[in-house]
Amino acid sequence: MNVLYQRSPRIKPMIREEEMEILRPPNEPNKPSFSLISIVLPVTMTLFSIGFYIYMNLTGKMGNGNYMMFQMVSVMMMLTSYTIPFFVYLGNKKKYKQQLAERVRMYNAELEKHKEELIAGQKEQVDVLYDIHGDPDVCFHIVKNRMSSLWERSPEDKDFLQTRVGIGSLPFYVKVKSPRADGYVKDPLIESAQNLAEQFKTVQGSSITLPLFQAKVIGMVGDREAVMNALRVTLIQIAVRHSPDEVS
């Protein structure tokens, strides 16, 4: 008795290569600078002037005491003014450290967002490959429940005569492009971005397939029991996912 079978339209999930570019971190803020010479030299000259005024006053060579007092007040005001740049420097230094910390915090937050997206992409790749190739248990349910995916693959499909032989590591379909360092100057944030890109080059737990149609001839080597089990699994997938008149 002949059985007429009409293949159902196949809806296969797709994995398209994508590129994710990790932008460079913002430039570091300018580090505040402070020169001791700009303060030490004027202070030294001022102290020398004070000593000179005191000497002149003690020796009686400076007759007007009020003038001496005025000079001393002026000198003290000058000394006070010399400390202003130092306190401004301390304020700028504190602000500089805050800006550095904010730069690190914001960039690490962006890297964490990228990491979450990449983890989701890895899971999607594993799930899609499993949906396409499944495992022997999936083949059993297809036959038992007479699902529409029976004999779904045709010679026009790219995965025609591809059988799942296990799980392993495959290249990630998302290509992560990390920023490059400028010359020999190392930036820990750029290194973190590069480490993230390196971490997501491959996907563990992906379905590994055997391309029978492309290979034409294959050989299985190993323990006899393991080889026979692998052969049975391969034949089951061929029988369930391909029409007999297309693989005979």
Short mmCIF file of all heavy atoms in Angstrom, two decimals, residues 15 122-136 138 153 159 162-171 203-211 237 241:
data_model
loop_
_atom_site.label_atom_id
_atom_site.label_comp_id
_atom_site.label_asym_id
_atom_site.label_seq_id
_atom_site.Cartn_x
_atom_site.Cartn_y
_atom_site.Cartn_z
N ILE A 15 19.56 32.18 12.35
CA ILE A 15 20.62 32.86 13.10
C ILE A 15 21.45 33.65 12.10
O ILE A 15 22.10 33.08 11.23
CB ILE A 15 21.52 31.86 13.85
CG1 ILE A 15 20.71 31.10 14.90
CG2 ILE A 15 22.67 32.58 14.52
CD1 ILE A 15 21.52 30.10 15.68
N GLN A 122 23.78 34.33 23.43
CA GLN A 122 24.32 32.97 23.51
C GLN A 122 23.20 31.96 23.78
O GLN A 122 23.15 30.89 23.16
CB GLN A 122 25.37 32.89 24.62
CG GLN A 122 26.71 33.48 24.24
CD GLN A 122 27.76 33.22 25.30
OE1 GLN A 122 27.46 33.12 26.49
NE2 GLN A 122 29.00 33.11 24.90
N LYS A 123 22.32 32.30 24.70
CA LYS A 123 21.20 31.40 25.01
C LYS A 123 20.31 31.22 23.78
O LYS A 123 19.83 30.11 23.49
CB LYS A 123 20.39 31.95 26.18
CG LYS A 123 19.26 31.03 26.63
CD LYS A 123 18.51 31.61 27.81
CE LYS A 123 17.45 30.65 28.31
NZ LYS A 123 16.48 30.26 27.27
N GLU A 124 20.09 32.32 23.06
CA GLU A 124 19.27 32.23 21.85
C GLU A 124 19.91 31.30 20.83
O GLU A 124 19.22 30.49 20.19
CB GLU A 124 19.09 33.62 21.25
CG GLU A 124 18.27 33.62 19.96
CD GLU A 124 18.26 34.97 19.27
OE1 GLU A 124 19.09 35.83 19.63
OE2 GLU A 124 17.45 35.16 18.36
N GLN A 125 21.23 31.40 20.67
CA GLN A 125 21.91 30.54 19.70
C GLN A 125 21.79 29.07 20.09
O GLN A 125 21.52 28.22 19.24
CB GLN A 125 23.39 30.94 19.60
CG GLN A 125 24.18 30.07 18.63
CD GLN A 125 25.56 30.64 18.33
OE1 GLN A 125 25.75 31.85 18.31
NE2 GLN A 125 26.53 29.77 18.11
N VAL A 126 21.98 28.78 21.37
CA VAL A 126 21.85 27.39 21.83
C VAL A 126 20.43 26.87 21.60
O VAL A 126 20.23 25.75 21.11
CB VAL A 126 22.23 27.29 23.33
CG1 VAL A 126 21.89 25.90 23.87
CG2 VAL A 126 23.71 27.58 23.52
N ASP A 127 19.43 27.71 21.93
CA ASP A 127 18.03 27.29 21.78
C ASP A 127 17.66 27.09 20.31
O ASP A 127 16.96 26.13 19.97
CB ASP A 127 17.11 28.33 22.42
CG ASP A 127 17.26 28.39 23.94
OD1 ASP A 127 17.81 27.42 24.51
OD2 ASP A 127 16.84 29.40 24.55
N VAL A 128 18.11 28.01 19.45
CA VAL A 128 17.77 27.90 18.03
C VAL A 128 18.39 26.64 17.42
O VAL A 128 17.72 25.90 16.68
CB VAL A 128 18.24 29.16 17.27
CG1 VAL A 128 18.17 28.93 15.77
CG2 VAL A 128 17.38 30.36 17.65
N LEU A 129 19.65 26.39 17.73
CA LEU A 129 20.30 25.19 17.20
C LEU A 129 19.64 23.92 17.72
O LEU A 129 19.53 22.92 17.00
CB LEU A 129 21.79 25.20 17.55
CG LEU A 129 22.64 26.26 16.83
CD1 LEU A 129 24.08 26.22 17.32
CD2 LEU A 129 22.59 26.06 15.32
N TYR A 130 19.18 23.98 18.97
CA TYR A 130 18.47 22.81 19.51
C TYR A 130 17.12 22.63 18.82
O TYR A 130 16.70 21.50 18.53
CB TYR A 130 18.28 22.96 21.01
CG TYR A 130 17.63 21.75 21.66
CD1 TYR A 130 18.40 20.65 22.00
CD2 TYR A 130 16.26 21.71 21.89
CE1 TYR A 130 17.82 19.52 22.57
CE2 TYR A 130 15.67 20.60 22.47
CZ TYR A 130 16.45 19.51 22.81
OH TYR A 130 15.87 18.40 23.37
N ASP A 131 16.44 23.76 18.55
CA ASP A 131 15.15 23.66 17.84
C ASP A 131 15.34 23.07 16.44
O ASP A 131 14.47 22.34 15.95
CB ASP A 131 14.51 25.05 17.73
CG ASP A 131 13.99 25.54 19.08
OD1 ASP A 131 13.81 24.70 19.98
OD2 ASP A 131 13.79 26.77 19.22
N ILE A 132 16.46 23.39 15.81
CA ILE A 132 16.70 22.91 14.45
C ILE A 132 17.10 21.44 14.45
O ILE A 132 16.57 20.63 13.68
CB ILE A 132 17.78 23.75 13.76
CG1 ILE A 132 17.30 25.20 13.57
CG2 ILE A 132 18.17 23.15 12.42
CD1 ILE A 132 18.36 26.13 13.03
N HIS A 133 18.03 21.08 15.33
CA HIS A 133 18.62 19.74 15.27
C HIS A 133 18.10 18.79 16.36
O HIS A 133 18.09 17.58 16.16
CB HIS A 133 20.15 19.83 15.36
CG HIS A 133 20.75 20.67 14.29
ND1 HIS A 133 20.76 20.29 12.97
CD2 HIS A 133 21.35 21.89 14.34
CE1 HIS A 133 21.36 21.23 12.24
NE2 HIS A 133 21.72 22.21 13.05
N GLY A 134 17.69 19.36 17.49
CA GLY A 134 17.13 18.53 18.55
C GLY A 134 18.08 17.44 19.02
O GLY A 134 19.29 17.58 18.97
N ASP A 135 17.52 16.32 19.46
CA ASP A 135 18.29 15.16 19.88
C ASP A 135 17.43 13.92 19.64
O ASP A 135 16.29 14.02 19.17
CB ASP A 135 18.71 15.29 21.35
CG ASP A 135 17.53 15.46 22.29
OD1 ASP A 135 16.43 15.00 21.96
OD2 ASP A 135 17.72 16.04 23.37
N PRO A 136 17.92 12.73 19.91
CA PRO A 136 17.13 11.51 19.65
C PRO A 136 15.77 11.51 20.33
O PRO A 136 14.80 10.98 19.77
CB PRO A 136 18.03 10.40 20.20
CG PRO A 136 19.42 10.95 20.06
CD PRO A 136 19.30 12.41 20.33
N VAL A 138 13.84 14.04 20.77
CA VAL A 138 12.95 14.86 19.95
C VAL A 138 12.45 14.06 18.76
O VAL A 138 11.26 14.11 18.41
CB VAL A 138 13.69 16.13 19.47
CG1 VAL A 138 12.82 16.92 18.50
CG2 VAL A 138 14.07 17.01 20.66
N ARG A 153 12.97 18.12 6.18
CA ARG A 153 14.12 18.65 5.45
C ARG A 153 14.13 18.16 4.01
O ARG A 153 13.89 16.99 3.73
CB ARG A 153 15.42 18.26 6.15
CG ARG A 153 15.54 18.83 7.55
CD ARG A 153 16.87 18.53 8.18
NE ARG A 153 16.91 19.00 9.56
CZ ARG A 153 17.94 18.85 10.37
NH1 ARG A 153 19.03 18.23 9.95
NH2 ARG A 153 17.88 19.29 11.61
N ASP A 159 20.61 22.59 5.93
CA ASP A 159 20.90 21.56 6.93
C ASP A 159 20.44 20.18 6.47
O ASP A 159 20.25 19.28 7.29
CB ASP A 159 20.24 21.92 8.26
CG ASP A 159 18.73 22.11 8.14
OD1 ASP A 159 18.21 22.07 7.01
OD2 ASP A 159 18.08 22.30 9.18
N GLN A 162 22.22 16.93 7.77
CA GLN A 162 23.05 17.29 8.92
C GLN A 162 22.45 16.64 10.16
O GLN A 162 21.28 16.85 10.46
CB GLN A 162 23.12 18.81 9.11
CG GLN A 162 24.00 19.53 8.11
CD GLN A 162 24.22 20.98 8.46
OE1 GLN A 162 23.80 21.44 9.53
NE2 GLN A 162 24.87 21.72 7.58
N THR A 163 23.25 15.86 10.85
CA THR A 163 22.76 15.14 12.02
C THR A 163 23.52 15.59 13.26
O THR A 163 24.73 15.82 13.21
CB THR A 163 22.92 13.62 11.85
OG1 THR A 163 24.31 13.31 11.66
CG2 THR A 163 22.12 13.13 10.65
N ARG A 164 22.79 15.68 14.34
CA ARG A 164 23.39 16.13 15.60
C ARG A 164 24.16 14.98 16.24
O ARG A 164 23.63 13.88 16.41
CB ARG A 164 22.28 16.60 16.55
CG ARG A 164 22.76 17.17 17.88
CD ARG A 164 21.54 17.64 18.67
NE ARG A 164 21.89 18.31 19.90
CZ ARG A 164 22.00 17.71 21.09
NH1 ARG A 164 21.80 16.40 21.17
NH2 ARG A 164 22.30 18.39 22.17
N VAL A 165 25.43 15.25 16.59
CA VAL A 165 26.26 14.21 17.19
C VAL A 165 26.62 14.53 18.65
O VAL A 165 27.29 13.74 19.30
CB VAL A 165 27.56 14.02 16.38
CG1 VAL A 165 27.25 13.44 15.02
CG2 VAL A 165 28.33 15.33 16.25
N GLY A 166 26.18 15.68 19.13
CA GLY A 166 26.48 16.04 20.52
C GLY A 166 26.47 17.54 20.70
O GLY A 166 25.93 18.28 19.87
N ILE A 167 27.04 17.98 21.81
CA ILE A 167 27.13 19.41 22.09
C ILE A 167 28.59 19.79 22.28
O ILE A 167 29.42 18.96 22.64
CB ILE A 167 26.30 19.81 23.33
CG1 ILE A 167 26.79 19.04 24.57
CG2 ILE A 167 24.83 19.58 23.10
CD1 ILE A 167 26.11 19.49 25.85
N GLY A 168 28.88 21.04 22.02
CA GLY A 168 30.25 21.52 22.15
C GLY A 168 30.31 23.03 21.97
O GLY A 168 29.33 23.74 22.20
N SER A 169 31.45 23.50 21.53
CA SER A 169 31.69 24.94 21.39
C SER A 169 31.63 25.33 19.91
O SER A 169 32.23 24.68 19.06
CB SER A 169 33.05 25.31 21.98
OG SER A 169 33.34 26.67 21.77
N LEU A 170 30.89 26.41 19.64
CA LEU A 170 30.78 26.95 18.29
C LEU A 170 31.05 28.45 18.31
O LEU A 170 30.85 29.10 19.35
CB LEU A 170 29.39 26.70 17.71
CG LEU A 170 29.04 25.27 17.28
CD1 LEU A 170 27.60 25.21 16.78
CD2 LEU A 170 29.99 24.78 16.20
N PRO A 171 31.48 29.03 17.20
CA PRO A 171 31.66 30.49 17.16
C PRO A 171 30.34 31.21 17.43
O PRO A 171 29.28 30.77 16.98
CB PRO A 171 32.15 30.75 15.73
CG PRO A 171 32.75 29.45 15.29
CD PRO A 171 31.94 28.38 15.95
N VAL A 203 30.38 29.89 21.93
CA VAL A 203 29.19 29.53 22.71
C VAL A 203 29.30 28.07 23.10
O VAL A 203 29.38 27.18 22.24
CB VAL A 203 27.90 29.77 21.91
CG1 VAL A 203 26.68 29.41 22.76
CG2 VAL A 203 27.81 31.21 21.44
N GLN A 204 29.32 27.82 24.40
CA GLN A 204 29.36 26.46 24.90
C GLN A 204 27.96 25.84 24.89
O GLN A 204 26.96 26.54 24.98
CB GLN A 204 29.93 26.43 26.33
CG GLN A 204 31.32 27.03 26.47
CD GLN A 204 32.37 26.22 25.73
OE1 GLN A 204 32.26 25.00 25.62
NE2 GLN A 204 33.38 26.90 25.22
N GLY A 205 27.91 24.52 24.78
CA GLY A 205 26.62 23.83 24.83
C GLY A 205 25.84 23.89 23.54
O GLY A 205 24.63 23.63 23.53
N SER A 206 26.50 24.25 22.44
CA SER A 206 25.81 24.33 21.15
C SER A 206 25.72 22.94 20.51
O SER A 206 26.56 22.07 20.73
CB SER A 206 26.56 25.27 20.20
OG SER A 206 26.62 26.57 20.73
N SER A 207 24.70 22.76 19.70
CA SER A 207 24.52 21.49 18.99
C SER A 207 25.58 21.36 17.89
O SER A 207 25.70 22.24 17.03
CB SER A 207 23.12 21.41 18.38
OG SER A 207 22.13 21.44 19.39
N ILE A 208 26.34 20.28 17.93
CA ILE A 208 27.36 20.00 16.93
C ILE A 208 26.79 19.00 15.92
O ILE A 208 26.25 17.96 16.31
CB ILE A 208 28.64 19.43 17.56
CG1 ILE A 208 29.15 20.37 18.67
CG2 ILE A 208 29.71 19.22 16.51
CD1 ILE A 208 29.53 21.74 18.19
N THR A 209 26.89 19.35 14.64
CA THR A 209 26.28 18.50 13.61
C THR A 209 27.34 17.88 12.71
O THR A 209 28.45 18.40 12.57
CB THR A 209 25.30 19.32 12.76
OG1 THR A 209 26.00 20.41 12.14
CG2 THR A 209 24.18 19.86 13.61
N LEU A 210 26.94 16.80 12.10
CA LEU A 210 27.79 16.08 11.14
C LEU A 210 27.24 16.34 9.74
O LEU A 210 26.13 15.93 9.42
CB LEU A 210 27.77 14.59 11.45
CG LEU A 210 28.74 13.69 10.69
CD1 LEU A 210 30.17 14.06 11.03
CD2 LEU A 210 28.47 12.23 11.04
N PRO A 211 27.98 17.05 8.88
CA PRO A 211 27.47 17.40 7.54
C PRO A 211 27.63 16.23 6.56
O PRO A 211 28.57 16.20 5.76
CB PRO A 211 28.34 18.60 7.15
CG PRO A 211 29.63 18.37 7.86
CD PRO A 211 29.30 17.65 9.14
N GLN A 237 18.00 10.08 13.07
CA GLN A 237 17.76 11.45 12.62
C GLN A 237 17.55 11.51 11.11
O GLN A 237 16.71 12.28 10.61
CB GLN A 237 18.95 12.34 13.02
CG GLN A 237 19.09 12.52 14.53
CD GLN A 237 20.28 13.38 14.89
OE1 GLN A 237 20.25 14.60 14.72
NE2 GLN A 237 21.33 12.75 15.38
N ARG A 241 13.92 12.95 9.91
CA ARG A 241 13.92 14.31 9.38
C ARG A 241 14.00 14.37 7.85
O ARG A 241 13.91 15.46 7.28
CB ARG A 241 15.08 15.10 9.99
CG ARG A 241 14.97 15.23 11.51
CD ARG A 241 16.02 16.16 12.07
NE ARG A 241 15.93 16.30 13.52
CZ ARG A 241 15.09 17.12 14.15
NH1 ARG A 241 14.26 17.87 13.45
NH2 ARG A 241 15.07 17.19 15.47
#
